[in-house]
Amino acid sequence: MAAMAKAILLALLKVLMIVIFAGWIALWILKPTTLWTRKWKGAEDSARHTVFGYNGLNFAVFTFPLIALTIIGVVYLNLVTKEPPRSRPARSAPVGFSNPVVVNSFVGILSSMEILAVFLFLLFLAWTYYARISNDFKKLMPIKSLKLDLWQIKYLRVATRFGLLAEVCLALLLLPILRVLPIFQLIGIQFEASVRYHILLGTSMIFFATIHGASTLFIWGVSHHVQDEMWRWQKKGRIYLAGEIALVTGLVIWITSLPQIRRRRFEIFYYTHHLYIVFLIFFLFHAGDRHFYMVFSGVFLFGLDKLLRILQSRPKSCILSARIYLFPSKAIELTLPKDPRLKYTPTSVIYMKIPSISRFQWHPFSITSSSNSDNHTMSIVVKCNEGWTSSLYDVIQAELDSDAGSMNCIPVSIEGPYGPASLDFLRHDSLLLIAGGAGITPFLSIIKEIASLSSRRYRFATRVQLIYVVKKSQDVCLLNSVSSQLLNQSSTQFSLNLKVYVTQEEGSDATVIGLVNDFSLVRTVNFSTKCSNYAVHGLDSSVLMAAMVALSSIKFLVSLIFFNRIFVPTEMKSSASQKVAVPSENKASKEKTPSSVVDLLLLASFIIALVCNTFVAIVLRWKRLKKDIPAASPKQGNKAIELAGSVEASTVEDHEIHFGGRPNFQDILSKFSDETGGSDIGVLVCGPESMKESVASLCQLKSQGLNIGAKGKKPYFFFHSLNFTL
């Protein structure tokens, strides 16, 4: 009965989310039409004399639907079971939607669902622009303050409407990077994968905004009004100078986000990205509160998400131990204390900050342990190349080389874990895991998860093949944590086969077991936990987070109504609620967009809502820590060094190693499909983009019905692209 009630509740929540989302989309589609403009002005006039005013109406219609969708979505994800699946999916169910349809080095790997979403979004942009510009051209009026020719007036309207396209992109820009309130997870897209949508939306927004700003400056230039218009900070209407500041700030953020800078100078990218606060404030002053309500839902949710993440990382935890690999790979496996009640799914990610290295920088890492087998600890692997990770290596190495009698405590702040809500990608009969370099880290947790649950009655894959592509043989040290699963399979009920491809070394007589043993020599160091001994406890209750979002919305609306009733005169409210699409000589200047006073009141209401929520969250967190959260297990904090010994293998013949070349993925897929007898195969790839695209192309051919197998069999291939953070 309980299971049936839960299923009914989930179905009702899903229907409600679909209705709300469809209504929110309908608002955006109707907004450019003349019918909506006429009806909406009438609705604002009616609401202006009520207690809510036009502010409450705009918030309720344009902002709150997405907030309500988030509240329901958080509860829905909490109810969706995170237990491993006990049944197989239908073979044909995910093929048409999740498998790759377009594989291209420029656009990446796109499924049919993603292509449909992009097409509908572009169609909506085209519709919005056409509806606005056609209406403008029908009602062209000369601008009193600017003496322009007809073509200049038309071009100015074209430039203005490009600003609306930038506004549409901004409305969605912050949604893909929500972690605690993961809207994109409702459609099966995890945070690491959704970041690319944030990049695409940000690039599109800057493109449209640049056309909008540059074209406006061009018209001012040809009409000799640059000096008059460029530096204006109007008391009423659009503040041009604020728009210019927002555009310059956005360009700085976008330029420093380019891969050439982000990968080589991560600190520059990280710190300049925080200029988003400046960008949003000046966008508010430039566009006015009515336009800001269109994008405010994303800003509102991002502010709450950031607040919840900051509070979740308090208090600090600590590093229990570090395992330093002795060979020149500069890799470290860190062990952190974990609340035994904290459960996370394979491929989950945590964000870690070490104040002794940087007080502001957060870095993501894939969890390599399983919460089912490790109740009190969680592990991550850090590949120490340069920058922040190199500083971490130096800190630990300095502790080892010091003359002190005991190891110092290293406090850390942790956000997460963030991971998939279910284990659907593990439901297949067989799994083919393809990893390149550091992309092995998500698969370490998958292997441990399958091994820990293989003795139970869960329908996980019983046959797993791991393809590991590395440049140097020393990189196999990252397999150290799963050596027992690789080399001693007699106690497990699943078959695990490993094939290692070393691309930049000549052939040798080395074996898999030999390499794993040779590179399993590590220095294990325990740290003191006296400075900060709280275990990682994970995210707060989903119900609590949903309640905080709802309360924040109420606090914001109440504060905004209160401020407008006290500080905004009636005549200003009237003029602030009106906005004309085309300026006219017959219109008084007071009928333009809202003044900066109204914008400041909106900003103040938002800050008050966040401050009040912060206070409530701190009190709730303090009570929870006082009652529930256990402390980390104390360590001696000494320099005792342990060398991991070799592991005897009982299944050496099941593993292969190849030197001097890259793997032939078509041959690998063909052989694996023959070995599995045509069952459905989950192909999980994590590594360089070129590797993902190569495997995706083969899976794409298979999904189109072409035969890859040598014996004419037609297994079902399901492609899953994973992202690693190391």
Side-chain angles (χ1 to χ4, degrees):
M1 292 296 294
M4 182 180 296
K6 183 178 180 181
I8 294 174
L9 179 58
L10 287 173
L12 291 176
L13 291 177
K14 185 180 293 187
V15 171
L16 185 57
M17 287 189 294
I18 293 174
V19 170
I20 293 175
F21 182 72
W24 188 66
I25 294 297
L27 289 176
W28 281 91
I29 296 175
L30 292 174
K31 188 173 181 290
T33 63
T34 305
L35 174 63
W36 174 264
T37 302
R38 184 172 62 253
K39 295 292 184 180
W40 185 247
K41 286 184 177 180
E44 281 192 329
D45 290 337
S46 301
R48 190 181 307 125
H49 304 291
T50 66
V51 66
F52 293 101
Y54 84 95
N55 298 283
L57 183 62
N58 276 272
F59 178 81
V61 173
F62 293 118
T63 301
F64 188 71
L66 200 57
I67 296 176
L69 180 65
T70 303
I71 295 172
I72 300 172
V74 168
V75 177
Y76 177 83
L77 291 175
N78 183 60
L79 292 175
V80 172
T81 177
K82 294 186 178 181
E83 278 193 33
R86 297 177 182 266
S87 60
R88 308 285 190 197
R91 284 184 169 182
S92 60
V95 171
F97 296 100
S98 62
N99 267 10
V101 174
V102 174
V103 181
N104 185 276
S105 58
F106 179 73
V107 299
I109 304 170
L110 297 177
S111 66
S112 58
M113 184 67 73
E114 291 174 310
I115 294 174
L116 178 62
V118 172
F119 172 76
L120 292 177
F121 181 69
L122 294 177
L123 186 64
F124 168 73
L125 290 180
W127 153 251
T128 299
Y129 192 80
Y130 169 77
R132 291 291 191 183
I133 204 68
S134 60
N135 185 53
D136 288 349
F137 282 179
K138 292 177 182 178
K139 303 177 181 180
L140 280 178
M141 298 291 290
I143 302 175
K144 185 176 181 180
S145 59
L146 300 175
K147 296 181 179 180
L148 303 178
D149 296 335
L150 180 60
W151 74 269
Q152 294 172 344
I153 297 175
K154 288 185 176 181
Y155 189 69
L156 185 60
R157 301 315 304 161
V158 168
T160 301
R161 294 314 178 190
F162 268 105
L164 290 180
L165 300 185
E167 177 185 297
V168 173
C169 296
L170 180 57
L172 302 174
L173 179 64
L174 298 175
L175 300 181
I177 56 175
L178 299 178
R179 301 178 200 168
V180 181
L181 308 171
I183 293 182
F184 270 55
Q185 199 175 93
L186 294 172
I187 53 177
I189 301 178
Q190 302 308 311
F191 171 76
E192 295 77 24
S194 65
V195 168
R196 73 170 177 173
Y197 301 104
H198 172 74
I199 296 173
L200 291 174
L201 288 168
T203 302
S204 302
M205 181 193 72
I206 292 299
F207 174 74
F208 294 135
T210 301
I211 295 179
H212 167 67
S215 299
T216 303
L217 289 174
F218 171 74
I219 294 298
W220 289 347
V222 297
S223 61
H224 306 289
H225 288 87
V226 172
Q227 295 297 328
D228 298 332
E229 302 292 333
M230 186 174 181
W231 307 106
R232 291 181 62 189
W233 189 283
Q234 302 93 316
K235 293 183 179 180
K236 295 181 180 179
R238 300 189 187 279
I239 300 175
Y240 301 139
L241 181 58
E244 295 155 14
I245 295 174
L247 176 59
V248 171
T249 304
L251 285 171
V252 170
I253 295 174
W254 179 77
I255 291 173
T256 55
S257 300
L258 295 174
Q260 296 83 349
I261 297 178
R262 185 179 70 250
R263 294 171 182 170
R264 298 179 182 179
R265 296 289 185 269
F266 179 81
E267 288 77 10
I268 295 177
F269 155 76
Y270 179 82
Y271 290 119
T272 55
H273 230 63
H274 286 78
L275 291 174
Y276 71 86
I277 300 175
V278 178
F279 172 82
L280 291 173
I281 290 176
F282 282 98
F283 173 80
L284 169 61
F285 286 133
H286 173 64
D289 66 332
R290 282 187 61 191
H291 279 272
F292 197 73
Y293 281 120
M294 302 299 298
V295 306
F296 187 54
S297 54
V299 178
F300 189 86
L301 292 173
F302 179 78
L304 290 176
D305 187 88
K306 186 76 172 178
L307 166 65
L308 293 172
R309 286 191 279 119
I310 291 174
L311 294 177
Q312 183 221 341
S313 64
R314 303 293 191 274
K316 293 183 179 66
S317 185
C318 59
I319 298 177
L320 291 180
S321 63
R323 305 176 73 216
I324 304 178
Y325 296 93
L326 297 183
F327 287 87
S329 58
K330 294 189 71 175
I332 302 175
E333 182 179 359
L334 301 179
T335 301
L336 305 170
K338 180 182 75 72
D339 185 345
R341 293 163 296 183
L342 174 60
K343 300 296 181 181
Y344 50 84
T345 51
T347 73
S348 291
V349 172
I350 64 169
Y351 281 73
M352 184 171 69
K353 178 180 71 173
I354 302 181
S356 59
I357 298 178
S358 174
R359 296 181 60 86
F360 302 104
Q361 289 189 38
W362 291 87
H363 292 264
F365 298 95
S366 298
I367 301 177
T368 58
S369 57
S370 169
S371 59
N372 289 297
S373 58
D374 300 311
N375 291 326
H376 298 278
T377 60
M378 63 193 309
S379 302
I380 60 173
V381 174
V382 182
K383 194 73 177 293
C384 304
N385 295 320
E386 59 183 10
W388 188 90
T389 56
S390 180
S391 299
L392 173 62
Y393 184 89
D394 294 339
V395 167
I396 296 178
Q397 193 65 47
E399 289 288 341
L400 286 172
D401 298 337
S402 66
D403 297 330
S406 61
M407 301 299 293
N408 294 326
C409 175
I410 301 181
V412 296
S413 297
I414 300 295
E415 290 183 8
Y418 307 112
S422 65
L423 299 176
D424 289 343
F425 60 92
L426 297 181
R427 286 184 172 184
H428 310 290
D429 295 325
S430 304
L431 284 179
L432 180 61
L433 313 180
I434 302 177
I440 190 65
T441 52
F443 296 142
L444 299 180
S445 62
I446 289 177
I447 293 172
K448 291 181 180 179
E449 186 80 8
I450 296 177
S452 66
L453 298 175
S454 60
S455 59
R456 308 178 190 180
R457 296 180 179 178
Y458 293 116
R459 300 298 302 272
F460 272 173
T462 56
R463 185 179 183 88
V464 180
Q465 184 172 104
L466 174 60
I467 309 297
Y468 189 25
V469 185
V470 296
K471 294 180 179 179
K472 302 291 184 180
S473 57
Q474 66 190 31
D475 293 333
V476 301
C477 69
L478 298 180
L479 294 173
N480 178 269
S481 62
V482 292
S483 59
S484 60
Q485 287 82 14
L486 288 170
L487 305 177
N488 295 305
Q489 301 182 40
S490 57
S491 60
T492 61
Q493 297 182 4
F494 78 103
S495 172
L496 176 60
N497 174 245
L498 170 65
K499 293 183 180 181
V500 177
Y501 291 82
V502 184
T503 60
Q504 296 185 2
E505 289 183 4
E506 297 299 327
S508 71
D509 57 356
T511 62
V512 172
I513 184 173
L515 286 179
V516 172
N517 282 332
D518 289 343
F519 296 108
S520 291
L521 301 178
V522 297
R523 303 175 72 181
T524 302
V525 184
N526 294 327
F527 293 94
S528 170
T529 61
K530 294 181 179 179
C531 62
S532 180
N533 65 342
Y534 277 102
V536 178
H537 50 273
L539 303 175
D540 287 320
S541 166
S542 298
V543 177
L544 176 61
M545 290 189 292
M548 291 185 67
V549 175
L551 289 175
S552 296
S553 304
I554 296 173
K555 292 172 186 175
F556 168 78
L557 188 57
V558 171
S559 300
L560 187 62
I561 294 172
F562 175 77
F563 285 145
N564 276 278
R565 289 290 171 180
I566 294 179
F567 296 105
V568 181
T570 304
E571 59 271 13
M572 185 176 292
K573 294 177 189 176
S574 177
S575 64
S577 65
Q578 300 176 15
K579 183 169 292 186
V580 291
V582 182
S584 171
E585 290 183 357
N586 300 325
K587 300 289 184 180
S589 61
K590 67 179 181 180
E591 291 180 291
K592 290 186 178 180
T593 53
S595 68
S596 57
V597 174
V598 180
D599 302 333
L600 284 172
L601 295 181
L602 188 152
L603 184 61
S605 301
F606 178 49
I607 294 175
I608 287 176
L610 287 184
V611 170
C612 292
N613 247 29
T614 301
F615 176 76
V616 173
I618 289 175
V619 172
L620 294 176
R621 175 57 57 88
W622 176 78
K623 289 184 177 180
R624 182 188 176 193
L625 292 176
K626 190 175 180 180
K627 292 182 179 180
D628 300 332
I629 303 301
S633 301
K635 295 290 181 180
Q636 295 296 325
N638 54 48
K639 291 187 178 182
I641 297 177
E642 302 174 4
L643 298 182
S646 62
V647 181
E648 295 184 1
S650 60
T651 55
V652 180
E653 66 278 2
D654 291 340
H655 307 303
E656 303 174 10
I657 184 168
H658 306 270
F659 289 90
R662 299 178 182 275
N664 185 330
F665 292 118
Q666 180 169 341
D667 184 58
I668 290 173
L669 264 66
S670 299
K671 290 182 178 179
F672 192 65
S673 64
D674 293 338
E675 294 171 359
T676 56
S679 62
D680 68 283
I681 300 173
V683 182
L684 281 70
V685 184
C686 187
E689 290 300 320
S690 58
M691 174 187 290
K692 293 181 181 180
E693 292 168 5
S694 299
V695 179
S697 298
L698 296 174
C699 292
Q700 178 187 10
L701 293 176
K702 194 58 191 174
S703 66
Q704 293 173 352
L706 300 181
N707 181 31
I708 297 178
K711 298 182 180 180
K713 297 179 180 179
K714 294 184 178 181
Y716 292 82
F717 284 87
F718 300 82
F719 178 83
H720 302 270
S721 176
L722 299 181
N723 294 279
F724 69 94
T725 50
L726 180 64

